[in-house]
Amino acid sequence: MKILAIETATFICGAAFISEGYCISLVEEACPRTSAERLPGMVKKVKQKSGFKWDKLDGIAISIGPGSFTGLRIGLSFTKGLAFSHDLPVVPVPTLTGMATDIASKSESYRIALFSHRNLFYTQLFHHTGTFPLGVDNPILWDWDTLKSRIDKENNDVFICGGEHITSENENVLFSPAIPSAKKIGMLAHERWNEFILKNPYNLVPDYIAPFKITKRKDAVS
């Protein structure tokens, strides 16, 4: 199975080519707020380095959220364009599950926390089953006080992206960075292909978790 994988849900922007469960080529870097400009060039570099052919791809995997509102829209729009032009299916991969892939946790369960904005974190608990994770619950958006309270009660390792400054009073909790990657998205898509694949992806929207509301100021001029 041959997959082009794309990650733009966080400050990491990248693309990877996965063939038969192996990462053949990976191009990614931290480039917040410039994913739209950098992503096409990254895909081009991955194609040049790996030599994959569009008509030989089985599909395109995309990190579908939760994550950056703008990043998710950029990644999915670009992926839909590629899928439509090359008649390929899309494989939306949950972002937190991708981040939880290949985690070296010493505890049976571990928590992924992805910083959103202000004091808010997307978080989910996973069970350690080896290379590929199993979600214990669904992703949720918590403020720091709620997340910290839960961490202090748990004895699970915590893997954080974008909030490395946070701490816990529970000395048994190990804090480590969780690094998003297009490689992880592609490897997870390969492993759970039949579960994630969408034959008709054109109505697919990012998994924002929390609703984004646009409100009109009372003093705005009509």
Side-chain angles (χ1 to χ4, degrees), residues 140-171:
I140 193 169
L141 184 68
W142 279 344
D143 63 30
W144 166 235
D145 289 337
T146 303
L147 177 60
K148 182 178 181 297
S149 175
R150 182 59 62 90
I151 290 173
D152 288 341
K153 294 177 182 178
E154 298 173 345
N155 288 314
N156 301 312
D157 293 343
V158 179
F159 296 85
I160 296 179
C161 176
E164 293 82 355
H165 58 285
I166 68 174
T167 59
S168 171
E169 297 173 2
N170 189 337
E171 296 180 354

Side-chain angles (χ1 to χ4, degrees), residues 1-140:
M1 189 170 293
K2 295 176 173 55
I3 304 167
L4 173 65
I6 292 173
E7 167 65 75
T8 61
T10 69
F11 64 94
I12 295 292
C13 177
F17 173 59
I18 308 297
S19 179
E20 309 306 330
Y22 294 93
C23 183
I24 306 303
S25 179
L26 172 66
V27 177
E28 62 185 7
E29 63 180 273
C31 49
R33 297 181 295 277
T34 60
S35 295
E37 294 81 5
R38 305 302 298 276
L39 183 58
M42 290 180 176
V43 171
K44 183 177 180 179
K45 286 182 180 179
V46 166
K47 187 175 186 300
Q48 290 173 340
K49 291 171 65 175
S50 66
F52 78 76
K53 305 296 184 183
W54 289 109
D55 61 352
K56 300 299 182 182
L57 284 183
D58 292 285
I60 305 175
I62 177 67
S63 182
I64 198 63
S68 162
F69 178 79
T70 302
L72 289 171
R73 290 172 63 89
I74 290 170
L76 184 56
S77 296
F78 185 73
T79 297
K80 283 183 176 181
L82 290 177
F84 180 79
S85 60
H86 297 287
D87 193 25
L88 291 168
V90 171
V91 188
V93 176
T95 299
L96 298 186
T97 307
M99 291 171 58
T101 299
D102 202 23
I103 286 289
S105 173
K106 294 182 180 179
S107 58
E108 291 186 2
S109 298
Y110 56 96
R111 181 169 293 282
I112 297 293
L114 172 61
F115 178 71
S116 174
H117 62 289
R118 294 199 301 269
N119 67 332
L120 300 175
F121 290 79
Y122 298 110
T123 184
Q124 187 176 7
L125 189 65
F126 290 90
H127 184 68
H128 192 60
T129 59
T131 302
F132 297 99
L134 176 64
V136 176
D137 53 12
N138 295 319
I140 193 169

